[in-house]
Amino acid sequence: MGVAAVPFDDFHKGSADIIRTAVFGFDRETKKIGKAFRFEANRLVVTGIDIQNVEPVDQKTRDALQKSVQLAIEITTDSQAQRAQQDAARVDQSAKAKLECQELRDKAEAEKARKDYLELKAQSIAVETTGQAKSEALSKADSMLIAARAEVEQAELRARAEKIRLEAELSGQEATRKAELEYMKQRDTLEVAKARHDAELEIKKFKEMIEAIGPETIKAIAVAGPEMQAKLLQGLNIETTLITDGNSPINLFTTAGGLISQSG
């Protein structure tokens, strides 16, 4: 096959092998290019061909080949540019996707941190509220216990005041009424003993009632409203009570003095 019968694309890709085949021939049995060419006239043997350049002889063919080569170069260049643009677009899109994923992860972590903060804040408020309510309940319970002790002490002071009054009246009587005073003394002594006994019974009853009520009931009375306090005290057969807090302490000596003055 001659070189002129080879298509341009095939010649352009394998021009060296095509020229060697045209010069040395092609062995169909071994399917290899020949190794030498002999000139019988002078016995010259050509064993190799060094191809420096391949150019068409015809000018039109040369121009067409040059245009074809330039077009191929342009096509290759455009293809590489498009491939580069596609690669750049793909890399840019991948970077944007990674950035969006990172932003979503950051938002999720921020939201989780905010949720944890709100939960801790709610727990802190709950603990603070519970502690404050417990403190107020204990304070009211202590106030009621103080008031109850004050009632007991006031009952004892009233009994003592009554005894002093009776003894003072007996000591001021005239000697001529000794018999009458002796009778009255005995009677008053019995009344004092009875009053002391009644006071001791009242004190014992009140102490037992306070112990039977217990701290929890006292807390319930302290926390309840006025109407509920009245109903609870009435149910416990308590006619009079004095409830105060730690900010207004009771002066037992002043209270006892006022009771003595009123009795006199």
Side-chain angles (χ1 to χ4, degrees):
M1 180 179 63
V3 177
V6 178
F8 173 75
D9 291 337
D10 294 341
F11 180 80
H12 183 69
K13 293 178 182 179
S15 58
D17 291 337
I18 292 171
I19 293 173
R20 288 190 180 93
T21 301
V23 175
F24 298 128
F26 185 79
D27 190 347
R28 296 183 181 276
E29 293 180 359
T30 60
K31 295 182 180 181
K32 293 182 179 181
I33 301 174
K35 296 182 179 181
F37 179 77
R38 295 176 180 273
F39 292 91
E40 295 298 334
N42 56 6
R43 295 183 179 181
L44 175 65
V45 178
V46 179
T47 58
I49 299 175
D50 185 11
I51 302 170
Q52 299 293 328
N53 189 15
V54 178
E55 291 184 359
V57 178
D58 184 57
Q59 184 64 36
K60 292 181 179 180
T61 303
R62 188 183 301 171
D63 294 339
L65 179 60
Q66 185 176 2
K67 290 180 180 180
S68 178
V69 171
Q70 291 178 353
L71 182 61
I73 293 173
E74 291 178 358
I75 292 173
T76 302
T77 303
D78 294 339
S79 176
Q80 292 177 351
Q82 291 178 0
R83 190 181 301 107
Q85 290 178 356
Q86 291 176 357
D87 292 341
R90 184 171 58 256
V91 171
D92 183 64
Q93 186 175 4
S94 176
K96 287 182 179 179
K98 290 181 180 179
L99 180 60
E100 291 177 357
C101 290
Q102 185 63 37
E103 290 178 353
L104 291 175
R105 284 194 294 268
D106 292 342
K107 288 181 179 179
E109 291 178 357
E111 187 65 23
K112 183 178 181 299
R114 181 174 175 273
K115 180 182 177 182
D116 294 340
Y117 167 74
L118 293 177
E119 288 179 353
L120 291 175
K121 185 177 180 180
Q123 292 177 1
S124 176
I125 293 174
V127 171
E128 182 179 357
T129 304
T130 303
Q132 184 177 1
K134 184 177 180 181
S135 177
E136 291 178 356
L138 291 175
S139 177
K140 290 183 179 180
D142 292 340
S143 299
M144 292 190 67
L145 289 175
I146 292 173
R149 293 192 184 99
E151 287 288 339
V152 174
E153 292 179 0
Q154 287 176 7
E156 293 177 351
L157 290 174
R158 284 196 295 267
R160 293 177 184 176
E162 183 67 16
K163 180 181 178 181
I164 292 171
R165 185 183 67 81
L166 292 175
E167 290 177 352
E169 288 181 357
L170 289 174
S171 63
Q173 298 297 329
E174 295 179 359
T176 57
R177 301 178 56 188
K178 184 177 181 180
E180 182 181 357
L181 290 177
E182 185 67 20
Y183 169 76
M184 292 178 63
K185 181 179 180 180
Q186 293 177 359
R187 185 190 64 182
D188 292 338
T189 301
L190 292 175
E191 290 179 356
V192 169
K194 183 178 181 299
R196 184 183 296 107
H197 183 265
D198 293 340
E200 290 176 354
L201 291 177
E202 185 69 17
I203 292 170
K204 182 179 180 181
K205 179 181 178 182
F206 192 80
K207 288 182 178 180
E208 291 177 352
M209 184 181 298
I210 292 298
E211 293 176 355
I213 290 174
E216 297 298 330
T217 305
I218 294 176
K219 289 181 181 179
I221 295 174
V223 176
E227 295 182 0
M228 184 60 68
Q229 289 180 354
K231 291 181 179 179
L232 290 172
L233 295 173
Q234 186 176 3
L236 296 172
N237 293 325
I238 298 176
E239 297 179 358
T240 304
T241 183
L242 178 61
I243 300 175
T244 182
D245 53 13
N247 296 324
S248 300
I250 299 174
N251 191 331
L252 299 178
F253 294 98
T254 303
T255 304
L259 292 173
I260 294 172
S261 298
Q262 291 178 2
S263 299

